[in-house]
Amino acid sequence: MDATRPAPELGAARLGLHPDQPATFSLGGTTARTSVPLVECLTLQTGRAFVDHRLTRGAAGEALRPTGTQQVEGPWPTWEVTQQDPATGLTATTRISRPTNASWRLTTTVRNDSTTPVHLSALSALSVAVLPGVEVGGLDLLTARSSWMAEQRWRHQRLGEELVDVGTAVHGQPARDCLRLSSQSGWSSGEWEPTGFVTDPATGQAVGWQVEHNGGWTVELSRRGDQLGLAVFGPTDLQHGWLQELAPGQELSSPAAVVVLSQEGWQGAAAELTTYRRALRAHLAPSTQPAPIVFNDYMNTLMANPTQERLATLVPAAAQAGAEVYCIDDGWHSDAEEWWGAVGAWEPSTRRFPDGLEATLQLIRDQGMEAGLWIEPLAVGVHSPLAQSLPDSAFMQRRGVRLREQDRFRLDLRDPAARGYLDAVVDRMVGYGISYLKVDDNYSIGLGPDAGATSAGAGLLDHSRAWSQWLAELPRRHPGLVVENCASGAMTTDYSLLAHARLQSTSDLQDPLRYPPIASNTPLTVLPEQAGNWAYPQPEMSTEEIVFTLTTSLAGSFYLAGNLDRMAPAQLELVRSATDLARSLREELGSQLPWWPHDVAGWEQEWVVAARRASPTSRDGLLLVWHRPGPQGSTPLELPALHGTTLSQVFPPPRLVPAPGLHVEAGPEGPRIVPESNTPTARAYLVRDTQDRDNGAAR
């Protein structure tokens, strides 16, 4: 390597550059010594340097040697590190950006500079030694399982229970196991959230990571000698059927991945990821303004059966409740009751809207709201005329057969005809006078299309990138259009898509009692100002049940449903008080940091607690508390993390709900909250920090 070139200025991250070994990368910990390489790469031609089932220690990656570094143009301070293997002609260039002081965003591009083809089977976006020098077994791992209607199931694990010490120091043989998290097909969060945290409980040092890809990805945590290695990949051959042939002169770039470092535990790392996500959106999003208050008529309301008659009363009620957008969800596009296998044309139903859909959209605007519509762009039902009129190339195919799932084909956005058709559809829908578009994706398609690709996984990678680009272009082609990202709720909570979309649906869950853990934990993955948690109050609900579901939506950007037109005036006034509060809190929502005074929420936990604060050194902000009593009765909630604060109830307003529901007591170790009954109850409080936390003095 040219020693005269400047070393990258990476802050707390350490880049090791030695001419006789691969470049290394480490973050935090107590030592700069590491053998964890900056790039992991597997090819068919060279395989693994050490045989196991992990994606690490590929011979192609271990043969790389650094040849230079340079600072390059970018939205943030950015360096490129180039490595090469003269024997194979493989060149790897890793781009390392610093969007914030405590975040590092990486991508790697591999180029074939040889005279023969190379076949990639895995390429890392990020490979880093996490907290080197800290004993691996004592580290805390925080990750989240995810599935339809059961998202954001975060839990702590001691890494030593997953990555056991096999006695390498005794016999010299390295461990071969790993802890692997992975997505499947086009649902980036269909099995695991694409985010996680590793913390040293003894020092509070913590590293968080985020995968930024809307398709297949894999994260591997493994013992690398006496250190913890974290490797983030896009699709791989082992997990996703991804094999990419690079002809001489061709190159391929990995998806992006991000790591952050904090001295304040996993909560500090979560705050750093929040800050990074806002920096990313400030660079890429068409708007970072808070999302409007949305009424969507699907969840526990019309359930895909909208009609002109039904909306004639529901639209005015939504406006009276304080909604700023009324989104007509699925069903508007079909005369049939059962339309799943016939979608694709996206033209208004004349049976449902005999005076024309435009008349109902005008009613929405006349009520002072913006109009919105739902669409599932990639879906074409097997019974849709589009299945015949569009060319075969517009659909995903494998071995010459159209991929079919639950009576649907899937558009392949690598194809110009597919993109052109969707552009025309959205242009027409915007022409109806809408300014809000809910983009959904309710099914996955397996490994992906192999037409025109060296593997099905490679076809899906290119489609996923085209899909992300298409979504990003929507508000640019239609200025002012607000785009909501949805995939059966929250099956694509990745920042390949969320860097551009204004809002993210957090679940399809229809049970208000089970929703709070999702709403509380979502800011670990999604910015609070983008998190649309459903509130679906109903006329048959008790006052406390209405308060409970409305409090859930206060955890993010307010997102409303429910048969509001059948409510009593007092009930509707209670709903309006929640939207008024959300509006008053909205400006701060985009700058506050999420935190968890009672740890992450368990799925069946009695007490669920979420909070937002002004800064890492202040606890001023909003506190949300849900109480879900179990069969054994109720227990008080102790909040020592809020010692030295005062709590003032802001929802529900006492004038509308005089009963306290939850009693706040000043305990010696912090607030103590006692339920009034065994009825599920929720409250929202403003928190004021009465201490200067830097010196312990009252303020």
Side-chain angles (χ1 to χ4, degrees), residues 144-185:
R145 293 303 304 262
S146 176
S147 62
W148 183 49
M149 296 199 291
E151 299 88 345
Q152 302 294 338
R153 302 196 314 272
W154 289 85
R155 71 185 182 105
H156 294 275
Q157 298 168 268
R158 191 174 66 84
L159 261 177
E161 297 173 353
E162 295 291 336
L163 302 176
V164 299
D165 185 351
V166 299
T168 299
V170 176
H171 49 68
Q173 296 297 322
R176 296 191 181 194
D177 68 338
C178 68
L179 180 61
R180 180 180 292 138
L181 317 177
S182 185
S183 71
Q184 296 294 331
S185 194

Side-chain angles (χ1 to χ4, degrees), residues 42 48 50-56 163 175-180 218 220-222 236 238-239:
L42 278 170
R48 290 174 172 82
F50 183 77
V51 178
D52 60 21
H53 63 282
R54 301 189 299 195
L55 298 172
T56 55
L163 302 176
R176 296 191 181 194
D177 68 338
C178 68
L179 180 61
R180 180 180 292 138
T218 297
E220 282 192 357
L221 292 149
S222 60
T236 70
L238 191 61
Q239 278 77 41

Side-chain angles (χ1 to χ4, degrees), residues 21-22 67 121 127 138 146 151 160 165 174 233 307 387 411 480 518 600 678:
Q21 66 183 52
T67 58
S121 58
S127 176
S146 176
E151 299 88 345
D165 185 351
F233 300 83
T307 64
L411 291 180
I518 295 174
V600 292
N678 280 332

Side-chain angles (χ1 to χ4, degrees), residues 297-312:
D297 60 22
Y298 178 79
M299 190 66 70
N300 292 1
T301 310
L302 303 186
M303 299 298 291
N305 190 27
T307 64
Q308 176 180 309
E309 179 182 12
R310 187 69 183 85
L311 269 64

Side-chain angles (χ1 to χ4, degrees), residues 250-266:
Q250 284 188 327
E251 64 181 30
L252 177 118
S253 295
S254 72
V258 176
V259 283
V260 298
L261 176 67
S262 173
Q263 307 297 325
E264 302 297 329
W266 66 267

Side-chain angles (χ1 to χ4, degrees), residues 472-492:
E473 290 172 355
L474 282 179
R476 295 188 176 94
R477 291 198 306 112
H478 300 285
L481 183 68
V482 175
V483 177
E484 174 190 343
N485 184 53
C486 180
S488 284
M491 298 293 94
T492 55

